[in-house]
């Protein structure tokens, strides 16, 4: 039962619960009109303490397409946060107005704290360099729809694996399905944090680390590209040195299998040149669409409407 629950970490939901969400998302995709009024009278609050276009607008479009309404802020300086209000108080107040809350925060763990004080479901829309579970719902629905399965896949994650929260959530989620393996492609400075690797080791999941995208690409079913997370660097020099370390050129794509798909949570910076967009293996814009549908399904489940 997902009604009334929070989504803070993708591991909060069982595989069966994730399946329920994907099933509903597919139903929405095939009969969107039937869902256009199901959230009539419901209000989503989007509390974004950190910049976002995609995720916030994805949540807002999702709620509006279900017939509900949206309030919120995307600029914390214009809210009482700038007066020093605590997350606990903000959440208790918003819970009096809204039926469901999506929250993004630069501090790891902030949405978890919010959920402890909230009377309505809280969805983590990204917390610092930690987790981003609704991006993972998006990624999983995209993979399932295009590849037809979430098992037996060779997944390459490339770029900023240290600060890229989408990758952390994706690795946790995909390592629960049978026989998936990971190739973690990053420079030394941007390797996956130990806590993520510890989990892989504990579960006995197959993974390797490399710096070389060119060597790894030929064996992958999925290439998950990420941008170097400029805002989480302590020093600009390091960012400048590392920012263009992986560029997915046509030449590299020619070494990949014909069924490999390229995903990216977006925004991209330079890591995927525009010329790759027309390659049928480039699936990152499809992924955006799946993201909206999966958020529609998630909110319907947490609100107990479906
Ligand atoms: C990601 C994020 O916010 O972590 N973007 C998103 O949610 N679409 C990835 C990123 O910012 O690089």
């Amino acid at each position: 039962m997902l009604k009334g629950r929070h989504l803070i970490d993708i591991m909060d939901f069982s595989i069966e619960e994730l399946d329920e969400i994907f099933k509903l998302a597919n139903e929405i995709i095939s009969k969107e009109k039937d869902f256009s009024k199901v959230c009539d009278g419901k209000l989503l609050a989007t509390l974004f303490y950190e910049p976002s276009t995609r995720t916030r607008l994805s949540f807002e479009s999702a709620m509006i397409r279900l017939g509900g309404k949206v309030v919120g802020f995307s600029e914390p300086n214009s809210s009482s946060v700038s007066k020093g209000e605590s997350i606990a108080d903000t959440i208790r107040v918003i819970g009096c107005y809204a039926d469901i809350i999506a929250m993004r925060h630069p501090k790891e763990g902030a949405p978890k704290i919010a959920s402890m004080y909230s009377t309505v479901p809280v969805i983590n829309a990204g917390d610092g360099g930690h987790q981003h579970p609704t991006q993972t719902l998006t990624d999983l629905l995209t993979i399932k729809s295009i590849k037809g399965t979430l098992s037996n896949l060779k997944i390459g994650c490339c770029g900023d694996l240290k600060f890229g929260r989408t990758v952390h959530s994706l690795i946790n989620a995909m390592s629960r399905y049978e026989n998936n393996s990971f190739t973690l492609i990053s420079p030394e400075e941007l390797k996956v944090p130990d806590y993520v690797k510890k989990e892989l080791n504990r579960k006995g999941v197959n993974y390797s680390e490399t710096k070389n995208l060119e060597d790894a690409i030929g064996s992958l079913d999925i290439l998950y590209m990420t941008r170097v997370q400029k805002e989480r660097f302590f020093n600009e020099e390091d960012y400048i040195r590392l920012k263009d370390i992986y560029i997915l050129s046509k030449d590299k794509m020619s070494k990949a299998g014909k069924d490999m798909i390229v995903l990216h949570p977006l925004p991209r910076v330079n890591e995927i040149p525009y010329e790759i967009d027309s390659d049928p293996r480039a699936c990152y814009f499809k992924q955006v669409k799946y993201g909206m549908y999966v958020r529609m399904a998630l909110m319907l489940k947490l609100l107990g409407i479906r």
Side-chain angles (χ1 to χ4, degrees):
M1 185 78 162
L2 288 165
K3 182 179 175 184
R5 301 253 299 269
H6 308 291
L7 173 59
I8 303 303
D9 187 309
I10 195 71
M11 306 305 263
D12 293 344
F13 293 174
S14 67
I15 289 187
E16 292 72 26
E17 287 166 339
L18 294 180
D19 269 346
E20 254 184 68
I21 296 171
F22 301 145
K23 228 166 119 191
L24 180 56
N26 281 321
E27 206 183 315
I28 299 172
I29 292 171
S30 63
K31 297 184 280 193
E32 202 179 329
K33 276 217 173 85
D34 293 0
F35 289 84
S36 65
K37 292 195 173 63
V38 289
C39 276
D40 188 21
K42 296 290 179 201
L43 192 59
L44 160 72
T46 51
L47 314 186
F48 277 64
Y49 294 78
E50 199 187 61
S52 160
T53 348
R54 226 154 323 268
T55 306
R56 185 170 58 83
L57 295 189
S58 175
F59 269 109
E60 297 187 357
S61 312
M63 184 46 104
I64 291 167
R65 279 173 183 260
L66 293 168
K69 294 202 162 63
V70 181
V71 291
F73 59 79
S74 53
E75 179 42 76
N77 293 334
S78 65
S79 75
S80 285
V81 175
S82 63
K83 299 180 189 164
E85 186 174 57
S86 68
I87 287 179
D89 274 6
T90 303
I91 270 314
R92 277 185 285 210
V93 169
I94 308 285
C96 299
Y97 309 145
D99 301 289
I100 188 162
I101 296 171
M103 180 184 190
R104 168 169 289 192
H105 204 286
K107 282 215 179 89
E108 283 84 2
K112 172 85 190 161
I113 306 265
S115 72
M116 289 156 63
Y117 290 94
S118 182
T119 50
V120 301
V122 174
I123 302 169
N124 177 5
D127 61 329
H130 189 217
Q131 301 283 331
H132 193 347
T134 62
Q135 180 64 47
T136 307
L137 290 178
T138 303
D139 302 339
L140 265 55
L141 178 63
T142 309
I143 295 169
K144 201 174 154 81
S145 304
I146 300 175
K147 287 282 181 193
T149 177
L150 290 170
S151 313
N152 303 311
L153 295 167
K154 292 197 175 66
I155 305 149
C157 299
C158 177
D160 185 347
L161 309 187
K162 179 179 181 191
F163 298 118
R165 55 194 171 195
T166 62
V167 167
H168 306 157
S169 293
L170 180 70
I171 293 174
N172 279 345
M174 288 303 282
S175 63
R176 288 207 283 186
Y177 296 90
E178 238 172 273
N179 200 31
N180 287 329
S181 62
F182 298 91
T183 308
L184 307 174
I185 309 156
S186 74
E188 192 61 33
E189 297 89 329
L190 299 177
K191 277 164 86 170
V192 168
D194 283 344
Y195 80 91
V196 178
K197 277 188 265 179
K198 245 190 210 152
E199 264 307 291
L200 288 176
N201 290 331
R202 193 182 62 80
K203 292 182 196 150
V205 176
N206 219 322
Y207 73 91
S208 60
E209 295 184 281
T210 174
K211 291 189 185 101
N212 195 321
L213 170 60
E214 212 145 352
D215 289 351
I217 199 166
S219 64
L220 302 176
D221 298 307
I222 296 164
L223 174 60
Y224 195 90
M225 292 294 291
T226 62
R227 79 184 163 93
V228 176
Q229 306 270 306
K230 179 179 185 188
E231 67 278 28
R232 307 203 197 285
F233 273 74
F234 292 112
N235 110 35
E236 179 146 11
E237 252 166 56
D238 287 346
Y239 170 70
I240 291 170
R241 184 167 50 82
L242 294 169
K243 72 184 175 64
D244 291 329
I245 186 152
Y246 299 111
I247 299 200
L248 185 60
S249 60
K250 273 196 165 167
D251 186 45
K252 287 193 190 97
M253 282 300 277
S254 73
K255 299 193 167 74
K258 70 172 189 359
D259 292 328
M260 185 196 80
I261 60 170
V262 183
L263 301 180
H264 191 306
L266 305 178
R268 69 172 146 184
V269 187
N270 293 327
E271 58 280 358
I272 306 182
Y274 280 17
E275 61 178 18
I276 302 298
D277 297 355
S278 55
D279 188 308
R281 294 168 292 181
C283 294
Y284 28 91
F285 291 115
K286 280 190 194 155
Q287 199 179 347
V288 175
K289 195 103 193 183
Y290 283 120
M292 183 184 72
Y293 288 118
V294 90
R295 289 182 175 98
M296 289 166 86
L298 171 68
M299 289 193 285
L300 285 178
K301 288 284 178 193
L302 301 185
L303 288 167
I305 292 172
R306 279 290 195 284

